[in-house]
Amino acid sequence: MLLRLAQRFLVLLASLLVASVLVFAFMQVLPGDPARVALGMNSSDDSVAELREQFGLDRPVFVQYADWLRGMVTLDLGVEWVSKAQIAPQLVDRLAVTGWLVITAMLLALLIALPVGTWMAVRHRHLDGVVLSAISQIGVAIPAFLAGIILITYFAKRWQWFPSGGWVPPAEDPLGFLSRLALPAISLAMVQASVLARYVRTAVLEVLREDYLRTARAKGLRPMQALTRHGLRNAAVPIVTVLGLQLATLLIGAVVVERVFVIPGLGSFLLDSVASRELITVQTIVMVLVAAVLIINFLVDALYLAIDPRLRTGAR
Amino acid sequence: MTSRSRVLAAALSATFLLTACNAGSTSDDPTDGENNATGDADNGDSTGGTGGTAAPGDDAVRIGLVAEPASLDFTTTDGAAIPQVLLYNVYESLVKVDQSGEIVPALASAWEVSEDGKTYTFTLEQGVTFSNGETFTAEDVVSSFEAVQNDWTVSLKSQFDIIESIEATSDTEVVITLASPSNSFLYSLTTRVGAIFDSNSVDELATRPIGTGPYTFGEWNRGSSITLQRNSDYWGEEPYFDQVELAYFSDANALNNAMLTDSIDVVGTVQAPEALSEFEGGDYQIIEGTTNGEVVLSFNNETEPFNDLRVRQAARHAINHQALLDTCWDGRGTLIGSMVPPTDPWYEDRTGDYPYDVEAAKALLAEAGAEGAEVRLRIPTLPYATACAPIVESMLEEAGFAVTIDDLEFPAAWIEDVFTNADYEMSIVSHVEPRDLKAVLGNPDYYIRYGTPELRTLLDEADAGTEEVQIEKMKEAAKLVSEDAASDFLFLLPNLIVADPGITGLPENAITESFDLSQLAGE
């Protein structure tokens, strides 16, 4: 098992390195000279050249890459070119905001998806099961930002139950924090819940068809009882996998939803930095997102090994 | 989406997809369309003004704006967002422009200009302190202005090239000598180059602005807001509000939603006039004023087909300006016909120079042998440009042009392609700087590539002459660029503000670089 884990870890490191090269390369082809953007429309070529030098953009590309990579590895992210603000503390602040959003949305989605998905599986031959299944299909198709706009239209603008956006830290104003978290988290969770519920349904259906459940039912247990006593642990294996993957998509979805709800998280940070051509910041944020997705993937693999004894022997 | 930002979007989504594939995940495109907003809306709990008098109170007011500054230091960073917040509010200048466009005293209580127009003697206000407690003296004026000449990196510094010497003749008197008489000099002091800094605290411009203004800099929550606090030691009339929070939104919908849900008290600049319909009906006050933002349909005067006067004239004749304004900007704004807003002393209505006449346009095009001329209308991704470009396109095609619209992400891609490389035939952009006829059309290297010797002579004569000569020559200059069809002047952007009913003293006309908060009060 340890060997397999070590293998996976090496793959993770290699992927991170390849991703960093690609991210850096994409920034190089991005149009728009950062110095020109900072100095604006009436800048002279001399002052642009001077600023490029200050930004270190006149150095060879590979030196810039190595410098950036070293900064990331040593957690010394440097300062933004224009604002001169430290990147690292901002990144931490923004990550915390996005973290609240993603984790709340995930918990909410699970809370909905587990019972609903199980219900959909157990009742898959009945009308209620089919109707729920159809609803979840619609949920899958609605992107989170659209869900967000719909929620704002009704819950914020029409009924004024929640603010339409913005953010306060939980420590500063817990109630204000919750009221601002609600709509964006729900709009992310709606999509996730639909996706997850469908996975849960499939997993549970599969388990229901297993021999051991038939045996359990033959002993006189009702379907739900048989499932809760013998089936759910087995259904959990594929669900955990999906959960990890969905966490990654949730993170990416949050980038967009933050924009709709005016939340100063990682997504807003990324888009603002793109607009002002703070390339180091953009690279770093994208890299953090990429790393998060890869690490989640790695952890899912590890968890998978832990849950399913069959994989530990390496015999697969 | 623009072709350039498509590259970006593709790059970013490819990165995400790559990871997604790695993770075996289903993809969820992160760069979807609806993704523009930032800024917190709400921190305080005030509803802005319940006092009943204009005496200073404990209230806070929250103003929603678009486009957060990239930095707080306008000596090294360009852009309208920094002076919008800091000028007149945190930093003050010797003179400022009031709501009617007049130059009025600020830190200088009076000034005199010598006979030959070269020497300016300013008498400074006494008892003025910076927010760090330092006393404001003539030395601060000298060091601030010398810094513009020596340390500033933005191109605006060139406005001070004309200064020969700056001298503090006493603590309260500054004498500035120019190399030659210049009418635009005093005006330039009202803009950001005229801002007075404390000579001892210029190292911290980017993080802690220190000025003499009615407000002190509070705190910058990056990604959401900047707060200003009342300066209780202010030498002039203390502001009414204890705190002003400027909340930033890069998405106009999010800004309007914040107003509708009472997260902010004022929408400082309405981004698209059709949004006003949400606020009509009595619950809000809607203020419509004027700006310096001439929306210019710029022609590249250097390359085909617009290097031919007849083609430029054809384009001007082809556009029905009133219909355009009605359709793409809800009829709000002013038709001007040249590069001068009505708040400037030399304004003349030049809308009659090229009346809407499709037949005349066709004839001119035929005469120039340019029927079906292919032109790229390369526009920045800004609301007025994207709204008006399709109408400009159809009007020009009616007259015989073959137009392709090309959206370029603003600022980066547009600045690179259109502005720096002049790789375009036509563009639409609002030139918001005050009195910018010279900067935009008087420079042959500027992206419009106009700046004919004839115009430059007129502009120089205007700057060097008496006030009457200035007005006369500037009128001639405006007439020249209009008749020569150096560009077409679509309309002047309106200044649209939405506010809670109790708020007074909002700057109705956005004709300076500052969003002047000094008169703001509640009732």
Side-chain angles (χ1 to χ4, degrees):
Chain A
M1 181 189 171
L2 272 179
L3 182 71
R4 290 193 71 89
L5 215 56
Q7 270 177 0
R8 295 277 160 90
F9 189 68
L10 282 179
V11 171
L12 170 69
L13 288 185
S15 314
L16 283 172
L17 196 69
V18 172
S20 75
V21 173
L22 287 172
V23 169
F24 185 83
F26 283 136
M27 293 306 127
Q28 296 299 311
V29 298
L30 197 63
D33 182 345
R36 183 78 68 178
V37 172
L39 291 176
M41 305 227 304
N42 302 316
S43 48
S44 70
D45 291 344
D46 286 350
S47 48
V48 170
E50 196 178 309
L51 203 62
R52 284 181 64 85
E53 197 187 321
Q54 265 183 40
F55 290 171
L57 288 166
D58 54 341
R59 299 171 303 163
V61 171
F62 71 90
V63 174
Q64 294 184 43
Y65 170 75
D67 204 41
W68 172 58
L69 197 64
R70 187 171 343 104
M72 297 247 289
V73 172
T74 57
L75 293 181
D76 170 19
L77 302 180
V79 294
E80 288 187 296
W81 288 332
V82 173
S83 68
K84 309 286 181 236
Q86 287 282 340
I87 296 174
Q90 290 192 71
L91 201 62
V92 171
D93 285 356
R94 304 290 190 122
L95 254 178
V97 172
T98 304
W100 275 112
L101 193 57
V102 168
I103 289 165
T104 312
M106 191 48 123
L107 291 178
L108 222 71
L110 271 177
L111 227 61
I112 300 168
L114 287 180
V116 170
T118 311
W119 186 261
M120 270 156 53
V122 174
R123 305 279 297 175
H124 72 282
R125 286 184 214 284
H126 297 81
L127 183 65
D128 50 349
V130 174
V131 168
L132 269 181
S133 187
I135 292 174
S136 73
Q137 187 77 282
I138 297 170
V140 171
I142 296 178
F145 77 86
L146 185 60
I149 292 170
I150 294 169
L151 289 179
I152 289 177
T153 307
Y154 289 94
F155 291 90
K157 283 167 75 175
R158 187 158 303 173
W159 299 320
Q160 311 243 330
W161 292 352
F162 293 96
S164 63
W167 189 260
V168 283
E172 202 172 284
D173 172 10
L175 218 63
F177 164 72
L178 285 178
S179 71
R180 282 173 182 77
L181 182 65
L183 293 186
I186 290 172
S187 57
L188 275 172
M190 269 164 56
V191 185
Q192 287 307 310
S194 307
V195 174
L196 284 177
R198 298 186 69 76
Y199 277 109
V200 171
R201 174 179 181 271
T202 312
V204 172
L205 266 183
E206 215 139 273
V207 169
L208 282 177
R209 291 200 191 97
E210 297 280 350
D211 290 342
Y212 58 81
L213 266 202
R214 203 178 309 150
T215 313
R217 290 207 52 195
K219 286 194 298 183
L221 292 176
R222 279 181 288 123
M224 257 320 177
Q225 283 175 321
L227 194 65
T228 44
R229 284 194 202 165
H230 301 284
L232 281 187
R233 188 184 151 89
N234 289 303
V237 176
I239 293 171
V240 165
T241 317
V242 167
L243 218 59
L245 303 181
Q246 287 306 310
L247 200 58
T249 47
L250 205 57
L251 194 60
I252 306 305
V255 169
V256 178
V257 166
E258 278 172 16
R259 214 54 175 175
V260 177
F261 285 96
V262 206
I263 294 171
L266 216 51
S268 305
F269 195 26
L270 175 65
L271 294 172
D272 290 343
S273 304
V274 170
S276 54
R277 289 297 186 270
E278 288 280 3
L279 295 190
I280 299 284
T281 316
V282 177
Q283 279 162 214
T284 309
I285 300 169
V286 173
M287 206 48 221
V288 165
L289 287 171
V290 169
V293 172
L294 289 174
I295 290 168
I296 291 167
N297 188 33
F298 169 75
L299 291 178
V300 167
D301 278 352
L303 204 61
Y304 206 64
L305 288 171
I307 295 179
D308 194 337
R310 283 169 299 181
L311 297 176
R312 280 180 220 164
T313 58
R316 194 162 65 153
Chain B
M1 202 185 264
T2 75
S3 61
R4 290 311 185 132
S5 69
R6 230 180 263 133
V7 172
L8 167 62
L12 289 178
S13 24
T15 317
F16 287 125
L17 278 179
L18 178 89
T19 18
C21 292
N22 246 329
S25 157
T26 51
S27 89
D28 194 1
D29 188 354
T31 48
D32 258 306
E34 195 62 36
N35 53 0
N36 289 307
T38 185
D40 192 349
D42 192 349
N43 261 330
D45 49 3
S46 153
T47 48
T50 45
T53 68
D58 293 327
D59 292 337
V61 63
R62 299 158 301 176
I63 300 176
L65 294 171
V66 291
E68 189 178 3
S71 138
L72 294 173
D73 181 0
F74 54 61
T75 72
T76 56
T77 312
D78 196 39
I82 320 173
Q84 183 181 44
V85 186
L86 298 181
L87 195 64
Y88 298 179
N89 298 322
V90 174
Y91 300 125
E92 290 183 293
S93 41
L94 296 182
V95 285
K96 68 189 239 183
V97 171
D98 72 3
Q99 279 292 297
S100 61
E102 298 271 316
I103 298 178
V104 296
L107 283 175
S109 54
W111 61 93
E112 265 174 44
V113 188
S114 66
E115 283 282 303
D116 64 359
K118 294 210 294 197
T119 309
Y120 286 71
T121 309
F122 294 94
T123 310
L124 307 181
E125 288 283 350
Q126 295 182 37
V128 178
T129 52
F130 287 97
S131 58
N132 60 358
E134 298 277 337
T135 308
F136 160 74
T137 68
E139 276 308 323
D140 295 305
V141 178
V142 175
S143 66
S144 297
F145 289 0
E146 283 177 351
V148 175
Q149 295 177 305
N150 303 326
D151 305 335
W152 285 39
T153 55
V154 290
S155 62
L156 290 165
K157 66 185 275 191
S158 65
Q159 295 182 63
F160 275 13
D161 289 351
I162 195 163
I163 297 181
E164 210 166 65
S165 72
I166 312 160
E167 203 185 340
T169 46
S170 77
D171 267 1
T172 56
E173 192 178 83
V174 174
V175 178
I176 298 177
T177 313
L178 306 183
S180 57
S182 168
N183 284 309
S184 51
F185 171 68
L186 192 66
Y187 190 85
S188 71
L189 293 187
T190 70
T191 67
R192 64 190 99 167
V193 290
I196 307 297
F197 303 100
D198 171 30
S199 47
N200 301 314
S201 63
V202 283
D203 299 339
E204 296 177 303
L205 287 179
T207 46
R208 284 228 75 67
I210 303 285
T212 59
Y215 295 91
T216 61
F217 184 78
E219 151 178 56
W220 185 8
N221 281 316
R222 305 216 27 161
S224 48
S225 65
I226 289 175
T227 47
L228 304 178
Q229 306 290 344
R230 178 170 54 216
N231 178 2
S232 43
D233 294 327
Y234 185 52
W235 60 276
E237 192 188 325
E238 255 184 62
Y240 171 86
F241 286 107
D242 180 49
Q243 180 183 308
V244 180
E245 180 183 333
L246 303 158
Y248 289 100
F249 299 81
S250 45
D251 179 74
N253 286 320
L255 173 58
N256 296 337
N257 288 343
M259 187 71 199
L260 288 167
T261 55
D262 200 30
S263 296
I264 53 174
D265 307 313
V266 178
V267 178
T269 45
V270 175
Q271 286 302 289
E274 62 269 17
L276 286 179
S277 61
E278 289 200 273
F279 301 104
E280 279 159 355
D283 289 345
Y284 302 94
Q285 53 167 329
I286 296 175
I287 298 170
E288 182 169 349
T290 180
T291 67
N292 283 323
E294 304 96 350
V295 180
V296 177
L297 173 64
S298 47
F299 306 145
N300 186 340
N301 280 258
E302 193 175 54
T303 58
E304 292 209 334
F306 289 112
N307 54 0
D308 187 322
L309 171 66
R310 293 165 297 187
V311 177
R312 301 199 299 270
Q313 290 176 319
R316 290 206 71 183
H317 270 309
I319 288 170
N320 182 345
H321 293 84
Q322 189 59 54
L324 177 93
L325 182 61
D326 290 345
T327 316
C328 71
W329 220 237
D330 204 26
R332 293 177 196 263
T334 317
L335 300 184
I336 42 178
S338 188
M339 195 67 191
V340 180
T343 39
D344 281 347
W346 42 86
Y347 169 75
E348 272 185 326
D349 180 1
R350 301 227 66 90
T351 52
D353 288 349
Y354 290 94
Y356 173 56
D357 187 344
V358 179
E359 291 315 313
K362 283 180 180 165
L364 281 161
L365 263 193
E367 205 186 309
E371 298 114 314
E374 290 188 11
V375 289
R376 289 169 303 164
L377 178 52
R378 308 195 77 184
I379 56 165
T381 47
L382 294 168
Y384 56 85
T386 48
C388 298
I391 300 151
V392 168
E393 177 194 30
S394 72
M395 286 174 174
L396 289 174
E397 295 208 317
E398 178 86 47
F401 287 92
V403 182
T404 326
I405 295 181
D406 183 12
D407 299 279
L408 296 173
E409 179 223 359
F410 188 85
W414 185 86
I415 285 192
E416 177 152 316
D417 286 352
V418 175
F419 193 79
T420 310
N421 300 331
D423 178 17
Y424 80 109
E425 284 81 46
M426 283 190 293
S427 186
I428 296 175
V429 77
S430 157
H431 286 276
V432 296
E433 291 76 18
R435 304 195 176 174
D436 51 5
L437 193 159
K438 181 177 181 179
V440 173
L441 294 157
N443 175 359
D445 296 328
Y446 208 68
Y447 77 107
I448 294 176
R449 302 282 200 256
Y450 184 69
T452 58
E454 194 187 353
L455 176 64
R456 297 216 309 273
T457 310
L458 277 176
L459 292 170
D460 289 345
E461 285 170 0
D463 199 29
T466 61
E467 215 168 299
E468 294 74 47
V469 170
Q470 181 188 26
I471 291 175
E472 206 39 56
K473 295 288 177 185
M474 286 306 290
K475 280 183 180 166
E476 278 180 48
K479 178 165 182 261
L480 177 67
V481 297
S482 168
E483 287 180 346
D484 212 11
S487 283
D488 189 52
F489 307 92
L490 297 178
F491 57 92
L492 188 75
L493 283 174
N495 185 40
L496 301 169
I497 295 177
V498 175
D500 283 344
I503 295 174
T504 58
L506 285 158
E508 177 182 324
N509 295 329
I511 53 176
T512 66
E513 297 189 301
S514 154
F515 193 94
D516 192 339
L517 302 164
S518 59
Q519 300 304 309
L520 217 54
E523 57 181 39

